[in-house]
Amino acid sequence: PIFNNRVVSNWFPEHERASAIAVYTSGQFIGLAFLTPLLAIVQHYWGWRGLFIATGCTGVTWGIVWYLFYRDPADKAADSDHAINPNQPSTKKVTWDQFRQVLTNKKLWGIYIGQFAVTSTLWFFLTWFPTYLVKYRGFDFLKSGFLSSVPFLAAFAGVILSGMISDYLTKKGTSF
């Protein structure tokens, strides 16, 4: 997420960033909504190992494509001393005062709580919900894959809408 947010910060003006972040964040939900049935089929025929290999290879392939083609706008100004190189780690040490500031910032606590809620809900629907549909509701494994995609469609819509609302409020001058 940190790298994604930096990409958005480099490519989008401030009043469009929430929508841009919503688009890439919602990608995980729309992907799960449409691919959960396919993933259930892969697991049904090739087991969890086949599913693990298929999703892992997809992730590695996407990572290679991203590495080969993505260029940061700051890289175009490589002659400048201000260009940021994401491949070089920062040498700055984090101080205790900076750590205290991070822990006492109200906006960051909103992010922490929101991320906890999103992650908990995501893992609930990824792991427990399909099992619940199969074991306790009597659905077959493949049908549960289709029904398991419904919460991800709702999450997609909610994330996109929240980004658009946030940008609208930013343009109106609302401060949070």
Side-chain angles (χ1 to χ4, degrees):
I2 293 170
F3 181 74
N4 296 342
N5 289 343
R6 194 175 86 214
V7 168
V8 168
S9 294
N10 289 342
W11 282 90
F12 293 89
E14 187 174 353
H15 67 277
E16 295 177 1
R17 289 181 187 162
S19 293
I21 289 170
V23 168
Y24 82 72
T25 302
S26 67
Q28 70 180 326
F29 299 117
I30 198 69
L32 286 168
F34 289 112
L35 292 177
T36 296
L38 177 64
L39 296 174
I41 291 169
V42 169
Q43 184 175 354
H44 179 75
Y45 288 106
W46 292 290
W48 70 267
R49 289 176 182 89
L51 180 62
F52 181 82
I53 290 168
T55 56
C57 288
T58 302
V60 169
T61 302
W62 177 248
I64 291 169
V65 168
W66 184 264
Y67 178 78
L68 292 174
F69 292 103
Y70 174 76
R71 295 296 175 259
D72 195 315
D75 288 345
K76 292 178 183 177
D79 296 333
S80 168
D81 292 332
H82 304 292
I84 298 170
N85 185 349
N87 297 324
Q88 291 181 355
S90 174
T91 57
K92 295 181 182 179
K93 301 257 184 196
V94 176
T95 66
W96 284 107
D97 187 52
Q98 291 169 325
F99 188 66
R100 182 188 58 75
Q101 287 176 351
V102 167
L103 290 178
T104 58
N105 186 301
K106 285 189 224 176
K107 288 183 181 180
L108 289 178
W109 272 101
I111 292 170
Y112 304 150
I113 292 167
Q115 188 62 44
F116 175 79
V118 167
T119 303
S120 300
T121 304
L122 175 65
W123 281 104
F124 169 82
F125 283 112
L126 277 174
T127 59
W128 185 83
F129 190 60
T131 303
Y132 167 77
L133 292 175
V134 171
K135 288 189 176 183
Y136 300 102
R137 291 295 178 183
F139 291 104
D140 65 29
F141 190 72
L142 296 178
K143 188 171 184 177
S144 76
F146 285 99
L147 291 174
S148 294
S149 66
V150 172
F152 300 120
L153 289 171
F156 168 78
V159 169
I160 291 288
L161 186 61
S162 68
M164 293 168 58
I165 291 171
S166 181
D167 278 343
Y168 172 77
L169 292 173
T170 300
K171 285 178 190 174
K172 288 287 207 183
T174 304
S175 177
F176 295 101

